[in-house]
Amino acid sequence: MDNTKKTILIVEDEKSLRGALVDFLLAKNFIPIEAKNGREGVQIALSKHPDLILLDIIMPEMDGMASLKKIREDSWGEKVPVIILTNLSASKEQLIDYKIPSRPTYYLIKSDWKLYDIVKKIESILENK
Amino acid sequence: MDKKTIFSTSNDTIFKLKILAEEKESVRRKLVVTANMLSLKAKQLAATAKEKENVRRKLLITAEKLKKSRETLEKKVLERTKSLEMARAKEEAILLSIGDGLIATDKIGKIILMNKTAEKLLERKSTDVVGKVFYKTISLEDERGVVIPLEKDPVSIALHTNTTVATNTTDPIYYTRKNKTKIPLAIMVTPVILNKKVIGTIKVFRDITNERQIDKAKTEFVSLASHQLRTPLSTVNWYAEMLLAGDVGELNPKQQKYLEEVYHSNQRMVELVNALLDVSRLELGTFTMEPKPTDITELTQNVIDEQRPQINTKVINFSFSSEKIPLINADPKLLRMVVQNILSNAVKYTPKKGKIRMSISLKDKKNVLLKVTDTGYGIPKNQHSKIFLKLFRADNVRDKDTDGTGLGLYIVKSIVENSGGKIWFESPKENRGTKFFVSFPVNGMIKKLS
């Protein structure tokens, strides 16, 4: 598929992981945007309206779950697809949003997912949007 | 008077006097005889008297002796009684002062003794429970608060099987006090045997709240550490993946091979961390269980398809059969872990060209039975009891497959038992294969969210 001009916001505090995601997404013709923490992530999301958000959970300043809550409060943000990309295992509270179909939220464990498969997932979500 | 008369008179008198004298003499003689006799008698009497006196004296001495010995005896009895009482009191004091809770019962389970620690721990008075049947008086519960049935009560098991029954700190028994506080207990019940007959039990128990807290802290630490470990693992994974895909230029064959080693090792580490996290979730009780109607045959077929490459590589003669099984109520994610582990163990521990048979059947109307038979290395008999222990790996396979974590069967057992199922195996001899059995209730798992 043609990924050109599809913007992906990467909210991740770990530089090395962010770097790998940026490089791989660029190689697959996406336009990656970076945010170093949750607060930055919310700001950029609400101002630049990316096509999809990759969201880490444990971050300084504002964590991923709080960020997601802020994003979902926005009328645009309510419907944006979000992939929670974390190394935490999900607990009940974290999965509440996950169950609401109008708020497309996915949940992937970083260490279990190849970059290749993450991009496949992103493509399939964007295709069905 | 004339002379003649005088003479005759005198003669007469003399005569008379003579007779008198003779009489006197005879009397005197008689008297002498009598006197002699009397004297003899007196002597005899004196002798008798002396003898009697002797006897009396002897009797007196004997009486004195008797009196003395009676006194000594009385003293001794008193002393012995005292020391016996002391010994008994000492023994009782020792029993009552033991730092662990102690309850003794007779052979029908009636409480005959409860020590101070037990009184304090259970917040019950010894006087209120002694003489009552243990099971009815002090009821124990499992983690979920369900009262432990009589046949599973340690005291009754000890009485019936004549063996020592012990619970461990990872699987405690609980007691709820009157004020509703719940305490975890580690219990050991030993049958008391006298003349080869069980005459009662001694139950020793202690509060393991602290151990449980430490255990929990340890598990939480493992969980936290594992999550932290995942970040660098993801980094290695992703960069190695990009290098291997040639995203930043072609690698030469050696570089490719080395990097594959790096990638493979990193994958192993990811798997190990995942297994550790599963273990910590199981131990913390934060494993979510979301049962839904699941087709176990289809699920198993998927697992087999996944492992087909390994089965084919080892040229294993594999077959799978399944009866028509109704949908069972189970969390597919967990059920999958169980089937996956059992099958991958069979594949891993069966040499090339071996045989593996897998089947699913309805054991009875309530239980589904999964059976996996292989012709592999088997489990050494002396390690049968350890095979489900955390991080344990049998001696005969440790060098054959170095990738194993020793966590698989531990996780499987936890899942199966948490779902009300059972797991067991048969491995009669080394290198003669192993049969694993898992039975699952059709009604299945109970929903549990963390």
Side-chain angles (χ1 to χ4, degrees):
Chain A
M1 85 180 260
D2 181 21
N3 297 328
T4 324
K5 288 177 195 157
K6 296 274 188 210
T7 51
I8 311 289
L9 172 62
I10 305 161
V11 191
E12 165 70 65
D13 62 319
E14 191 73 32
K15 201 179 155 212
S16 61
L17 291 174
R18 208 167 60 232
L21 285 165
V22 167
D23 286 356
F24 200 81
L25 287 171
L26 275 174
K28 300 292 168 197
N29 296 323
F30 286 100
I31 303 168
I33 316 170
E34 297 175 60
K36 289 189 286 295
N37 59 52
R39 194 178 306 282
E40 232 183 78
V42 175
Q43 273 171 14
I44 298 174
L46 298 183
S47 60
K48 298 207 168 164
H49 290 192
D51 293 293
L52 185 143
I53 300 171
L54 293 177
L55 184 63
D56 186 22
I57 290 185
I58 302 181
M59 287 182 294
E61 306 248 352
M62 186 192 282
D63 72 25
M65 294 329 283
S67 311
L68 183 60
K69 203 170 163 234
K70 286 257 180 216
I71 293 168
R72 291 298 187 216
E73 279 167 8
D74 182 81
S75 60
W76 165 83
E78 200 187 341
K79 292 183 179 73
V80 65
V82 173
I83 297 179
I84 298 170
L85 191 57
T86 179
N87 275 329
L88 268 194
S89 310
S91 71
K92 199 168 105 188
E93 301 80 52
Q94 288 164 350
L95 290 177
I96 288 176
D97 212 36
Y98 185 71
K99 305 265 155 130
I100 304 172
S102 65
R103 299 172 169 185
T105 312
Y106 307 85
Y107 188 96
L108 309 181
I109 302 283
K110 278 183 259 189
S111 60
D112 290 351
W113 281 70
K114 287 182 174 185
L115 287 170
Y116 180 83
D117 293 325
I118 293 171
V119 166
K120 278 265 164 272
K121 185 86 188 172
I122 293 172
E123 286 173 348
S124 86
I125 292 168
L126 291 179
E127 240 170 77
N128 295 328
K129 201 175 151 187
Chain B
M1 159 173 24
D2 61 308
K3 216 179 165 178
K4 204 184 166 180
T5 314
I6 290 172
F7 181 76
S8 84
T9 308
S10 104
N11 269 355
D12 199 37
T13 306
I14 287 165
F15 184 72
K16 276 182 184 169
L17 279 172
K18 233 181 180 168
I19 289 169
L20 217 78
E22 272 169 14
E23 269 173 14
K24 254 190 183 168
E25 179 60 22
S26 118
V27 167
R28 197 192 57 87
R29 275 198 199 121
K30 273 183 189 159
L31 276 172
V32 168
V33 171
T34 313
N36 281 342
M37 272 167 60
L38 279 173
S39 151
L40 202 75
K41 256 207 178 126
K43 269 182 196 158
Q44 277 173 348
L45 277 174
T48 314
K50 216 175 177 181
E51 255 172 41
K52 271 193 180 159
E53 176 62 18
N54 274 342
V55 170
R56 198 187 62 90
R57 275 208 192 121
K58 275 187 191 156
L59 277 174
L60 262 179
I61 292 168
T62 315
E64 194 66 22
K65 273 189 192 160
L66 277 172
K67 199 179 154 197
K68 263 198 187 142
S69 69
R70 194 184 66 105
E71 275 170 8
T72 340
L73 209 67
E74 260 175 8
K75 218 170 133 192
K76 272 191 182 157
V77 166
L78 214 69
E79 272 169 14
R80 188 89 187 101
T81 313
K82 250 189 197 164
S83 78
L84 275 174
E85 269 170 3
M86 272 296 284
R88 210 186 117 82
K90 229 178 181 177
E91 270 166 20
E92 203 169 305
I94 289 172
L95 276 180
L96 292 179
S97 316
I98 288 176
D100 282 350
L102 181 140
I103 291 175
T105 72
D106 65 8
K107 65 179 173 190
I108 57 162
K110 258 191 199 163
I111 298 171
I112 52 177
L113 181 109
M114 171 154 125
N115 76 348
K116 288 174 210 151
T117 316
E119 283 188 324
K120 228 188 262 168
L121 266 177
L122 307 179
E123 292 180 353
R124 300 286 290 266
K125 279 259 162 277
S126 161
T127 43
D128 295 340
V129 301
V130 167
K132 290 180 184 157
V133 174
F134 177 81
Y135 179 73
K136 290 180 186 160
T137 316
I138 298 169
S139 62
L140 300 168
E141 297 163 4
D142 66 10
E143 199 152 9
R144 284 170 230 162
V146 180
V147 172
I148 290 173
L150 179 60
E151 66 272 15
K152 284 191 181 160
D153 184 271
V155 170
S156 73
I157 296 175
L159 280 175
H160 288 110
T161 60
N162 199 353
T163 49
T164 298
V165 184
T167 65
N168 54 30
T169 48
T170 52
D171 189 20
I173 283 182
Y174 292 84
Y175 173 78
T176 306
R177 290 171 174 153
K178 273 198 185 120
N179 64 9
K180 302 286 174 215
T181 52
K182 206 170 162 185
I183 46 169
L185 300 173
I187 298 177
M188 183 183 271
V189 182
T190 317
V192 179
I193 294 162
L194 191 71
N195 296 330
K196 293 178 185 169
K197 269 188 188 160
V198 181
I199 58 159
T201 64
I202 290 271
K203 173 191 197 117
V204 180
F205 56 97
R206 65 197 161 87
D207 179 354
I208 51 166
T209 307
N210 278 341
E211 284 96 323
R212 295 285 289 165
Q213 276 165 354
I214 291 166
D215 201 54
K216 196 171 168 231
K218 177 218 74 185
T219 310
E220 280 167 353
F221 171 77
V222 171
S223 167
L224 196 73
S226 305
H227 282 125
Q228 301 290 358
L229 284 171
R230 274 174 161 179
T231 300
L233 289 172
S234 314
T235 311
V236 176
N237 253 355
W238 288 356
Y239 284 98
E241 184 193 335
M242 286 192 284
L243 283 170
L244 283 169
D247 284 2
V248 284
E250 198 82 4
L251 300 179
N252 71 35
K254 264 260 155 88
Q255 289 169 335
Q256 182 85 19
K257 189 177 170 277
Y258 288 4
L259 200 58
E260 270 164 10
E261 289 290 343
V262 171
Y263 190 72
H264 175 70
S265 290
N266 199 59
Q267 283 298 325
R268 265 182 65 193
M269 194 95 96
V270 169
E271 276 159 31
L272 179 60
V273 166
N274 285 347
L276 282 172
L277 279 170
D278 286 339
V279 169
S280 68
R281 270 197 292 268
L282 282 166
E283 287 178 352
L284 282 171
T286 55
F287 224 116
T288 53
M289 230 181 231
E290 289 184 77
K292 52 185 171 197
T294 304
D295 183 341
I296 186 170
T297 310
E298 191 191 321
L299 183 143
T300 305
Q301 191 58 58
N302 285 338
V303 171
I304 295 168
D305 291 344
E306 245 177 46
Q307 300 198 18
R308 191 57 83 175
Q310 288 91 313
I311 295 171
N312 291 343
T313 310
K314 289 184 102 171
V315 206
I316 281 167
N317 175 340
F318 181 86
S319 77
F320 170 56
S321 64
S322 175
E323 284 177 14
K324 200 171 159 42
I325 308 288
L327 295 180
I328 65 168
N329 197 32
D331 183 324
K333 182 178 86 245
L334 297 180
L335 188 59
R336 199 183 170 78
M337 277 169 82
V338 172
V339 180
Q340 220 165 26
N341 263 291
I342 302 286
L343 176 60
S344 77
N345 277 349
V347 176
K348 262 193 264 180
Y349 304 127
T350 299
K352 277 190 174 175
K353 294 185 181 166
K355 219 193 264 177
I356 296 175
R357 297 276 169 270
M358 200 164 180
S359 69
I360 300 174
S361 57
L362 264 183
K363 199 169 135 201
D364 43 59
K365 277 184 184 159
K366 285 181 183 159
N367 293 288
V368 177
L369 182 72
L370 169 76
K371 191 167 130 188
V372 180
T373 310
D374 66 48
T375 57
Y377 308 122
I379 300 160
K381 208 145 213 168
N382 60 350
Q383 296 178 345
H384 278 196
S385 61
K386 295 185 188 152
I387 205 72
F388 292 111
L389 295 183
K390 189 164 53 177
L391 296 169
F392 179 81
R393 299 201 63 211
D395 287 340
N396 60 335
V397 297
R398 217 179 297 164
D399 41 331
K400 290 191 178 85
D401 174 76
T402 49
D403 281 11
T405 60
L407 292 171
L409 284 178
Y410 174 76
I411 293 170
V412 166
K413 188 167 195 257
S414 298
I415 294 175
V416 170
E417 288 183 352
N418 270 309
S419 324
K422 271 188 205 149
I423 178 163
W424 68 100
F425 66 91
E426 288 168 8
S427 182
K429 232 177 173 181
E430 263 186 76
N431 296 317
R432 289 287 174 81
T434 309
K435 276 183 203 172
F436 261 95
F437 305 86
V438 181
S439 92
F440 261 110
V442 176
N443 301 339
M445 307 176 179
I446 300 149
K447 191 178 172 101
K448 188 175 157 292
L449 292 173
S450 63

